[in-house]
């Protein structure tokens, strides 16, 4: 195996957290669709798919370096999703938490001189810059729109999604 037992365990934790991210975004998407906001819901459904891809990418990496992939229970998403603003805020908080966890993995790779994992993790470091920035932008748009302008917000999100 090219990585340490400790790194293997930490990568498995992150695989679980990426799955938890997908689980969380699915819940948020469903809550948004129930509010009648189909486009915003699609934005979050798409995000959930991306999170699953992040987990898959990490699973493939662990296998490629001869590690063992273990699947653990995915926690129930927590949060209060009764308004678009609270969903947008929790999405930003979630991405900040993911960023912290990725940075901890990078620090461990550096400490262990595990250059293969360090190089692999760079993709996640860059992805988090993008995801935190998108989540901040979404929260700004939601706050600027206010509860009365959700249809305008849907229009803007549709444009962003191309
Ligand atoms: Fe996996 O990037 Fe968001 O959480």
């Amino acid at each position: 195996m090219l990585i340490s037992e400790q790194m293997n365990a930490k990568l498995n934790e992150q695989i679980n957290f990426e799955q938890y991210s997908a689980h969380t975004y699915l819940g948020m998407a469903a809550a948004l669709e129930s509010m009648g906001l189909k486009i915003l819901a699609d934005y979050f459904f798409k995000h959930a798919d991306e999170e699953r891809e992040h987990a898959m990418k990490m699973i493939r990496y662990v296998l490629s370096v001869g590690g063992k992939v273990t699947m653990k229970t995915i926690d129930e998403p927590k949060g209060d999703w009764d308004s678009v603003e609270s969903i947008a805020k929790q999405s930003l908080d979630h991405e900040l938490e993911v960023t912290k966890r990725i940075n901890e993995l990078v620090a461990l790779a550096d400490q262990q001189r595990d250059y293969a994992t360090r190089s692999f993790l760079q993709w996640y470091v860059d992805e988090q810059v993008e995801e935190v920035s998108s989540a901040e932008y979404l929260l700004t748009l939601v706050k600027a729109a206010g509860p009365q302008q959700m249809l305008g917000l849907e229009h803007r999100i549709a444009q962003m999604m191309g």
Side-chain angles (χ1 to χ4, degrees), residues 7 18 36 38 42-43 48 55 62 77 119 122 141 156 159:
M7 181 59 84
E18 297 290 344
K38 263 184 114 30
D42 280 350
Y43 180 83
V62 171
S119 167
Q122 188 59 44
L141 288 178
R156 180 76 190 95
Q159 284 176 329

Side-chain angles (χ1 to χ4, degrees), residues 22-33:
H23 215 46
T24 300
Y25 285 121
L26 281 177
M28 289 175 170
L32 288 161
E33 180 133 354

Side-chain angles (χ1 to χ4, degrees), residues 54-115:
H54 299 171
M56 281 302 300
K57 199 177 170 75
M58 208 166 269
I59 286 170
R60 292 214 169 90
Y61 175 73
V62 171
L63 294 173
S64 74
V65 290
K68 184 168 183 238
V69 171
T70 49
M71 289 291 135
K72 297 266 169 56
T73 306
I74 301 169
D75 287 344
E76 184 179 326
K78 38 189 175 308
D80 158 19
W81 303 334
D82 55 4
S83 76
V84 180
E85 186 171 332
S86 74
I87 290 173
K89 171 78 174 73
Q90 284 166 72
S91 159
L92 173 59
D93 290 346
H94 184 77
E95 289 307 328
L96 291 170
E97 171 64 24
V98 174
T99 303
K100 196 176 115 218
R101 287 169 183 249
I102 296 292
N103 287 343
E104 281 164 9
L105 280 170
V106 169
L108 180 65
D110 279 344
Q111 184 203 320
Q112 297 191 341
R113 300 188 184 187
D114 177 351
Y115 300 119

Side-chain angles (χ1 to χ4, degrees), residues 37 40 83-85 138-154:
L37 299 167
L40 257 178
S83 76
V84 180
E85 186 171 332
L138 180 66
L139 181 59
T140 304
L141 288 178
V142 169
K143 282 183 173 166
Q148 309 310 320
Q149 295 297 327
M150 283 299 130
L151 290 180
L153 178 67
E154 287 258 283

